[in-house]
Amino acid sequence: MGSITFSHVYKHYKGESRPAVNDFHLSIEEGEFLVLVGPSGCGKSTTLRMLAGLEDITEGDLYIDEKFVNYVSPKDRDIAMVFQNYALYPNLTVFENIALGLKLRKTAKHDIELRVNRVAKILEISHLLERKPSQLSGGQKQRVALGRAIAREPQVFLMDEPLSNLDAKLRAQTRAEIIKLQSDLKRTMVYVTHDQVEAMTMGTRIVVMKDGVIQQVAPPRQLYDEPANLFVAGFIGSPQMNFLEGSLVREDGRYYFLNKRMKLLVPERHYEHFAVKTASLRNCVLGVRPEHVWLKRENEEKDEPEDGFVRCVVEMTEVTGADSYVYVKLGEKTVIGRTEPETMYEKEEKLLIGFNMNKVHFFDEQSGVSLAAGGEEG
Amino acid sequence: MIRRLRRVTPFQVILVTVFTALAAFMSLPIIFILNHAFKPQNELFLFPPRFLVQNPTLRNFESLILHASNATVPFTRYLFNSLIVAGLTLGTVIIVSTMAGYVLAKYQFHFKQLILSLITLSLMFAPETVGIPRYLIISGLGINNTYFGHILPALASPIAVFMLVGFISQIPGELLEAAKMDGASHFGIFTKMVLPLSVPAIATISIFTFQGVWGDVETSTLFMQEETMRTLAFYVNSLLSGLQNSVSGQNVAAAAGLLMFLPNLIIFLLFQRRVLETMVHSGIK
Ligand SMILES: Nc1ncnc2c1ncn2[C@@H]1O[C@H](COP(=O)(O)OP(=O)(O)OP(=O)(O)O)[C@@H](O)[C@H]1O
Ligand SMILES: [Mg+2]
């Protein structure tokens, strides 16, 4: 119960030239915590609203539990949704807000009371049941909105940026609660956010979208370690992955990444991908995350930096507490590297920079597709 | 900080003074009507006239009742007609206008813009210009001398629909969608969400709809040939015009004037409270 299948779903809003959702093709297993993430306007809400039945599907089929539901009305889909601005009924008390869905489904009165009280206890809002929404704080409203969804015990939960109106501390706390709630209830959850940290911490699988198109679907770890293209690589991870343009050249059976400033030996495990993507080798992009950047002070005695290291200049340092990030200038390009918080570099200080070549990624510059990604030539 | 907020600026003093004076000036007619009805004959003709009554008396009302009991149709019949007509009109206008307002504000359908434009357009017609077509419709339908004939012309209230469309479009769409997901039908959303949330707007349209109907003379004059179907407003109006030059009629007129005015005041006070209350407690920001 609670599995969902999108089969080549499109959404065209009237008067818009571009589809808001473009060929959304995905199966969601029952009990899965799926997160939709992407920049503003990429079609996350639209996808969610089509799943809820609040928006017509222009093209394609939608199945819930193998049942074709394109034309099934929202109330018959056994789905509950939490809206970004909570959408609590202002004219009803908290109790009535939570109870309304049950009442409309003709649940017996004592049963309603039982369920509302149980939900209120889980969410610690029992003392608020008689209040009106206008008398609640943002966090409390959020809980009531969650309670309203839970009380109905639907097969599928939908949440559209439910935490975006909360402050950082409350957001982290509620995030943990939602994760716990989902694992307790074991219901399918589709969760929309534009916050990649939220996506990475909550989802069992993450869908990254851009301009209505799915960029990659993967578990958080895989999304981080094996981004399918430049967009995903840049979107997931904070601070961003560093990108350097260049080309891959072959010398004596070995590949080197080459640009104006550096020549880096590429480990062998990449070679099999290069063999099938020869067209991409001339113009490619090297991606390296800040934690895979090595920075060190220059050894005064040597004239030439050791292999794999080049000179750079510190631009600024950002201390976040646990780590510090050093922004260095490599020619025109700014590269971010993570260092121990204890090592302090001066502004304008000259350093040596190198990359952990076992952890770098290569992308086709034109299409942005990862060279490690399977499939046909980009 | 609080101190600074509390400090009264000269501007505020001027503002409060001006508005108080304005409010006092606006309430003069009301005070006059209230006092006038209780003035004995000699005070009614006092020159220069006085606002406040000196020796209040109920004689004027006695005269009114006496006068009315001599008429062909009893006074109570007019009153009954007025109450029925005002009540039914108010109810039906609210039902029709809120439904129309909800649909026009929250649903997409063909010719919606055209309908909205027509409603806006009809706001611009002076009532006199539609008098003849209205007469043709009423007599064509054969509903002269029926309560329906009273209600129908008032039923289509473009200003009420117009106001409600504006008000209901302010209700967040998510709220109605949440209700939809909770399992409410279209009608359920209308009765459980839209109606309660529109109470301030409904109160407002109730006030002016009631005033319009209660004071309406035209319908009784044009469409009701039978005296038994005419309303209190018509009776008072003809009473006043008949008494215009008679000295003895002035006291009857004063009492009748108050009688016509009171329900308006009551309705206004009743609904005005609701307007404020709902705005405070609804949580709509
Ligand atoms: N009712 C509508 N009519 C026309 N276009 C719309 C409508 N709703 C959304 N769009 C367009 O569809 C695209 C996707 O919108 P959507 O709301 O799904 O974005 P989103 O990913 O949820 O963004 P956000 O993170 O800002 O909420 C946007 O370009 C938007 O302008
Ligand atoms: Mg959105």
Side-chain angles (χ1 to χ4, degrees):
Chain A
M1 295 288 274
S3 70
I4 300 160
T5 306
F6 286 90
S7 173
H8 300 288
V9 169
Y10 288 78
K11 175 69 191 184
H12 256 288
Y13 282 111
K14 231 184 234 151
E16 302 278 311
S17 54
R18 240 170 15 83
V21 173
N22 196 337
D23 196 18
F24 196 95
H25 190 72
L26 182 72
S27 285
I28 305 168
E29 279 163 42
E30 86 172 78
E32 191 170 359
F33 197 132
L34 187 87
V35 175
L36 295 180
V37 69
S40 191
C42 70
K44 307 177 297 278
S45 299
T46 307
T47 307
L48 203 68
R49 290 168 54 80
M50 284 194 288
L51 179 52
L54 298 171
E55 208 78 68
D56 291 332
I57 294 170
T58 315
E59 209 186 308
D61 301 335
L62 175 64
Y63 300 88
I64 299 177
D65 286 332
E66 328 272 87
K67 201 175 128 232
F68 178 70
V69 293
N70 276 35
Y71 306 110
V72 175
S73 77
K75 67 174 177 351
D76 301 324
R77 292 192 186 192
D78 204 8
I79 278 178
M81 183 156 168
V82 177
F83 293 83
Q84 178 172 358
N85 57 6
Y86 318 136
L88 299 181
Y89 313 127
N91 50 321
L92 304 181
T93 63
V94 169
F95 182 93
E96 292 166 326
N97 260 283
I98 299 174
L100 185 71
L102 299 168
K103 219 154 91 191
L104 289 169
R105 283 180 164 71
K106 307 259 178 308
T107 313
K109 205 162 180 185
H110 63 273
D111 202 20
I112 293 181
E113 205 132 312
L114 218 68
R115 283 215 230 172
V116 174
N117 285 327
R118 196 175 59 214
V119 167
K121 209 161 149 200
I122 296 173
L123 295 169
E124 296 167 23
I125 47 173
S126 301
H127 58 296
L128 304 172
L129 287 176
E130 295 313 312
R131 295 213 196 156
K132 289 277 178 71
S134 57
Q135 301 162 315
L136 301 178
S137 73
Q140 292 169 334
K141 280 184 196 163
Q142 179 55 51
R143 280 153 194 282
V144 177
L146 279 176
R148 190 169 66 180
I150 298 167
R152 256 177 48 207
E153 300 179 7
Q155 285 310 318
V156 180
F157 287 106
L158 307 182
M159 301 199 177
D160 193 349
E161 309 201 14
L163 307 183
S164 58
N165 288 346
L166 303 181
D167 65 52
K169 186 159 167 260
L170 206 54
R171 196 180 313 167
Q173 186 188 336
T174 317
R175 193 165 70 201
E177 274 168 23
I178 291 178
I179 295 171
K180 182 171 178 303
L181 215 60
Q182 198 266 346
S183 68
D184 287 352
L185 298 170
K186 296 188 182 57
R187 300 294 160 93
T188 312
M189 170 95 78
V190 182
Y191 187 102
V192 164
T193 177
H194 61 252
D195 178 355
Q196 49 113 356
V197 177
E198 227 169 78
M200 294 293 282
T201 49
M202 297 180 91
T204 49
R205 254 196 326 163
I206 298 172
V207 179
V208 182
M209 292 179 76
K210 182 198 169 199
D211 296 338
V213 182
I214 295 183
Q215 303 293 314
Q216 187 172 7
V217 185
R221 196 68 242 172
Q222 192 187 347
L223 204 64
Y224 192 79
D225 292 338
E226 302 162 28
N229 58 35
L230 275 176
F231 176 78
V232 177
F235 189 79
I236 302 293
S238 169
Q240 256 203 7
M241 189 186 277
N242 300 294
F243 296 117
L244 297 163
E245 287 91 24
S247 56
L248 286 157
V249 293
R250 194 181 168 118
E251 274 174 30
D252 305 334
R254 290 173 162 184
Y255 279 98
Y256 291 88
F257 176 80
L258 195 71
N259 68 11
K260 272 189 291 188
R261 321 201 146 258
M262 45 175 56
K263 182 180 179 184
L264 304 167
L265 178 65
V266 180
E268 261 174 52
R269 62 177 190 90
H270 287 284
Y271 293 1
E272 51 172 319
H273 307 305
F274 297 166
V276 292
K277 303 220 174 169
T278 45
S280 306
L281 300 184
R282 192 180 289 274
N283 290 308
C284 73
V285 176
L286 176 146
V288 59
R289 295 203 182 275
E291 61 265 39
H292 303 135
V293 170
W294 292 320
L295 290 168
K296 58 180 182 184
R297 293 207 162 88
E298 206 162 351
N299 192 339
E300 300 292 341
E301 284 127 55
K302 288 187 189 167
D303 288 346
E304 280 296 307
E306 50 197 293
D307 254 9
F309 281 85
V310 289
R311 293 200 172 92
C312 63
V313 180
V314 176
E315 206 170 31
M316 64 173 224
T317 309
E318 200 177 74
V319 183
T320 61
D323 308 293
S324 57
Y325 293 95
V326 183
Y327 291 62
V328 298
K329 246 332 197 219
L330 193 63
E332 315 285 75
K333 203 116 189 134
T334 300
V335 174
I336 307 169
R338 191 177 76 181
T339 63
E340 304 290 304
E342 298 84 44
T343 32
M344 291 302 291
Y345 295 118
E346 298 292 313
K347 199 172 147 80
E348 303 294 336
E349 189 177 348
K350 292 200 170 54
L351 294 180
L352 288 178
I353 185 170
F355 306 138
N356 179 351
M357 290 303 281
N358 283 315
K359 299 285 188 178
V360 300
H361 308 266
F362 293 101
F363 304 94
D364 182 287
E365 191 180 352
Q366 204 111 69
S367 64
V369 177
S370 168
L371 298 193
E376 67 273 28
E377 194 98 304
Chain B
M1 191 64 200
I2 287 169
R3 224 161 223 228
R4 266 188 54 194
L5 283 178
R6 284 235 181 108
R7 206 171 66 193
V8 183
T9 64
F11 177 70
Q12 281 173 321
V13 174
I14 295 171
L15 211 66
V16 169
T17 318
V18 168
F19 277 121
T20 312
L22 211 62
F25 182 72
M26 296 297 228
S27 59
L28 285 184
I30 299 173
I31 297 168
F32 184 75
I33 290 178
L34 284 176
N35 280 282
H36 209 58
F38 297 99
K39 285 178 189 168
Q41 188 87 356
N42 58 339
E43 275 185 55
L44 286 173
F45 288 98
L46 212 60
F47 191 88
R50 276 171 186 271
F51 250 84
L52 302 180
V53 58
Q54 247 114 35
N55 305 304
T57 162
L58 286 176
R59 274 294 303 279
N60 297 347
F61 293 92
E62 279 171 34
S63 313
L64 177 65
I65 291 165
L66 201 69
H67 189 93
S69 58
N70 292 336
T72 42
V73 174
F75 176 78
T76 46
R77 174 74 199 196
Y78 291 115
L79 186 64
F80 175 77
N81 285 350
S82 270
L83 289 176
I84 285 281
V85 168
L88 285 178
T89 308
L90 200 58
T92 46
V93 163
I94 289 172
I95 292 171
V96 170
S97 307
T98 45
M99 283 184 170
Y102 170 45
V103 170
L104 286 168
K106 289 292 177 196
Y107 286 83
Q108 300 300 325
F109 49 90
H110 293 294
F111 309 119
K112 175 174 152 173
Q113 276 314 314
L114 181 73
I115 294 171
L116 277 172
S117 323
L118 282 177
I119 290 173
T120 320
L121 188 71
S122 62
L123 281 176
M124 298 172 199
F125 283 108
E128 290 78 12
T129 53
V130 291
I132 291 172
R134 186 175 276 178
Y135 181 82
L136 292 176
I137 291 170
I138 297 284
S139 58
L141 287 173
I143 51 174
N144 307 54
N145 299 318
T146 63
Y147 288 120
F148 195 47
H150 273 285
I151 295 163
L152 192 67
L155 192 55
S157 175
I159 178 78
V161 176
F162 186 76
M163 276 190 59
L164 279 161
V165 170
F167 194 86
I168 293 172
S169 31
Q170 302 291 317
I171 298 177
E174 277 101 346
L175 209 58
L176 308 183
E177 284 171 350
K180 210 187 273 179
M181 301 216 57
D182 261 345
S185 56
H186 289 297
F187 191 70
I189 293 173
F190 176 70
T191 51
K192 291 210 167 56
M193 295 293 134
V194 176
L195 275 187
L197 293 177
S198 309
V199 165
I202 293 172
T204 314
I205 64 168
S206 300
I207 291 171
F208 66 72
T209 303
F210 180 84
Q211 289 184 344
V213 176
W214 184 256
D216 179 57
V217 182
E218 190 200 80
T219 314
S220 293
T221 319
L222 296 180
F223 308 145
M224 304 297 142
Q225 286 76 33
E226 282 170 29
E227 197 64 31
T228 48
M229 286 307 295
R230 288 174 165 167
T231 58
L232 190 63
F234 175 84
Y235 172 71
V236 172
N237 200 48
S238 54
L239 190 72
L240 294 185
S241 54
L243 296 173
Q244 228 151 41
N245 298 318
S246 102
V247 172
S248 61
Q250 288 307 312
N251 54 352
V252 179
L258 181 66
L259 209 63
M260 276 308 291
F261 168 73
L262 265 189
N264 276 338
L265 185 70
I266 292 168
I267 288 279
F268 180 77
L269 292 178
L270 218 64
F271 283 104
Q272 187 219 25
R273 280 250 310 264
R274 289 294 297 156
V275 174
L276 292 179
E277 242 170 55
T278 38
M279 280 201 212
V280 170
H281 291 294
S282 66
I284 313 177
K285 283 172 264 179

